[in-house]
Amino acid sequence: MQAFQQLVFSGVQPTGNLHLGNYLGAITKFVALQDTHDCIYCVVDLHAITVAQKPSELTSNIREVTAAFIAAGIDPKKHIVFNQSQVAEHAELAWIFNCVARIGWLNRMTQFKEKAGKDRENASVGLYAYPTLMAADILVYRATHVPVGEDQKQHLELARDIAQKFNNDFLADNPAYADGKGFFPLPEPLIQGPATRVMSLRDGSKKMSKSDPSDNSRINLADDADTIAQKIRKAKTDPDALPSALDGLAGRPEADNLVGIYAALEDKTKLDILQQFGGGNFSTFKSALVDLTVAKLAPIGGEMRRLQADHAYIDSVLRDGANRARERAGATMSAVRDIVGFVR
Ligand code: TYM
């Protein structure tokens, strides 16, 4: 039913410690989609402040994510790279979506429950409304495709529900939209490949995360070759040999995770990797994984550090991206204001 022009949108929070999960689950997909789609990639600083951030660290983290995008291969001239707070339309549409989304919908969001923890009364209102801002990020450009890791699936479903309810609530009696196509598309999540949920290197039942207190749980994009090697050598495994078939990974989360990482870095399937390493021990496999990870990540880390230090360049990329993003977001918001019935 969708006759919307295809457009890719995604975002990454500038909360420090960008890691291999962010890279394989999201950033490599961002890079690949540039060849086939018009893409907008956003450093979501308004989302970052839903939990406390030190202002000076936030500034540096915004530049870090921008540098990582470019170092990984995103072209900010052909596509759009910017930080969310420079385009006020995100917050404006989020407010309207706060009035469309139902409290019951937000109460079901598992990420809020995880992040707020036991002290829910003390969580910010922003953390609770996080998913409506995320829906606004996507829909203010009327984006159709959203590459993300597995953990964002529920938020994407909510964005679709909000788009659908907005279309239902506001367009039913509007002759300009009598064709039934709707104003907002229902954005599709793109969650594919062997590394949509990269797990902690210390505990295969926990997601690799920026906020894990153990730095050994994750490989940071900024890690140098020695640190990457050390972390992989120390990664938790089990005493058995690697299996040769996929069902042999069942009940072995650490083995499954390392095989998934290898497959994603090589752009192959887990089965390909098991056919290569099945029957062998972990130390041989880990040595190959160290070589592969260092070959892929160390150059990105080096380039990222170089770019990140060039504030004038990074800030000019973000300003230019924001100017182009604002133009598109402004056009959507003009139409939204008319649809809702505001006088302007
Ligand atoms: P954030 O900053 O937590 O993560 C950025 C991207 O990395 C993915 N990711 C992972 N993928 C695989 N394995 C992991 N361990 C892992 N950890 C993180 C995330 O799924 C995400 O794709 N809410 C978003 C940011 C956002 C956004 C948006 C995304 C704000 N507005 C609009 C898409 C569209 C987030 O917290 O990302």
Side-chain angles (χ1 to χ4, degrees):
M1 99 115 182
Q2 282 198 4
F4 291 91
Q5 197 167 353
Q6 293 207 350
L7 175 69
V8 168
F9 180 94
S10 197
V12 174
Q13 290 195 77
T15 39
N17 297 334
L18 266 188
H19 55 68
L20 185 63
N22 302 128
Y23 179 68
L24 295 177
I27 298 173
T28 54
K29 313 285 172 57
F30 299 179
V31 174
L33 284 159
Q34 293 182 109
D35 295 337
T36 47
H37 289 76
D38 184 13
C39 305
I40 304 182
Y41 296 128
C42 183
V43 184
V44 290
D45 46 12
L46 296 175
H47 277 111
I49 63 162
T50 57
V51 298
Q53 303 292 333
K54 260 196 172 157
S56 61
E57 283 174 16
L58 179 64
T59 308
S60 145
N61 290 335
I62 293 168
R63 294 190 179 119
E64 183 196 35
V65 176
T66 312
F69 282 175
I70 300 169
I74 291 170
D75 182 344
K77 288 214 163 70
K78 281 207 189 114
H79 300 274
I80 294 181
V81 171
F82 74 106
N83 59 317
Q84 192 184 26
S85 61
Q86 292 206 55
V87 181
E89 284 80 358
H90 289 242
E92 187 184 355
L93 185 59
W95 179 258
I96 293 174
F97 285 171
N98 280 339
C99 303
V100 172
R102 306 289 91 183
I103 288 179
W105 299 0
L106 289 175
N107 282 344
R108 285 194 285 276
M109 294 295 112
T110 55
Q111 253 194 14
F112 173 74
K113 291 179 196 164
E114 278 164 28
K115 285 195 183 171
K118 290 201 181 77
D119 198 10
R120 202 181 290 189
E121 292 286 308
N122 209 19
S124 72
V125 175
L127 188 66
Y128 186 71
Y130 183 112
T132 58
L133 176 59
M134 188 166 155
D137 295 339
I138 300 163
L139 294 169
V140 83
Y141 303 100
R142 303 212 272 173
T144 55
H145 293 84
V146 187
V148 281
E150 175 74 35
D151 61 350
Q152 296 302 312
K153 195 167 176 226
Q154 194 186 34
H155 287 160
L156 261 293
E157 281 159 10
L158 187 89
R160 292 169 65 89
D161 289 343
I162 290 175
Q164 185 69 67
K165 185 163 162 55
F166 181 96
N167 289 344
N168 293 346
D169 288 357
F170 290 104
L171 303 180
D173 305 320
N174 188 329
Y177 295 92
D179 62 1
K181 188 177 115 183
F183 179 73
F184 287 121
L186 308 187
E188 272 180 46
L190 300 174
I191 306 174
Q192 287 144 359
T196 55
R197 187 175 177 82
V198 177
M199 308 307 279
S200 155
L201 299 181
R202 308 301 293 162
D203 176 352
S205 68
K206 272 173 42 190
K207 195 179 67 171
M208 185 177 284
S209 141
K210 293 170 186 165
S211 56
D212 194 315
S214 162
D215 198 54
N216 283 329
S217 69
R218 66 182 160 261
I219 293 172
N220 299 309
L221 290 191
D223 284 345
D224 61 23
D226 285 346
T227 312
I228 294 174
Q230 244 182 45
K231 286 179 176 176
I232 293 177
R233 288 208 190 93
K234 277 197 194 150
K236 187 175 169 199
T237 49
D238 58 46
D240 297 334
L242 277 162
S244 303
L246 281 178
D247 55 7
L249 289 174
R252 300 179 64 186
E254 285 84 14
D256 191 7
N257 188 38
L258 294 181
V259 169
I261 291 172
Y262 197 108
L265 284 169
E266 278 254 85
D267 204 11
K268 289 189 172 160
T269 65
K270 286 189 199 176
L271 185 59
D272 293 332
I273 306 312
L274 293 181
Q275 282 167 350
Q276 193 179 339
F277 291 98
N281 59 29
F282 272 105
S283 74
T284 313
F285 175 67
K286 277 185 169 180
S287 294
L289 183 59
V290 166
D291 292 345
L292 177 62
T293 312
V294 168
K296 296 276 177 180
L297 289 197
I300 296 176
E303 179 65 358
M304 197 173 119
R305 278 189 293 274
R306 189 187 72 75
L307 289 169
Q308 206 178 334
D310 189 348
H311 294 181
Y313 169 67
I314 294 289
D315 296 2
S316 75
V317 165
L318 292 174
R319 248 190 328 270
D320 171 64
N323 288 338
R324 289 186 285 140
R326 203 178 297 116
E327 214 168 286
R328 298 194 192 194
T332 305
M333 283 316 296
S334 293
V336 167
R337 287 184 206 110
D338 287 344
I339 289 170
V340 173
F342 293 147
V343 173
R344 59 190 182 98

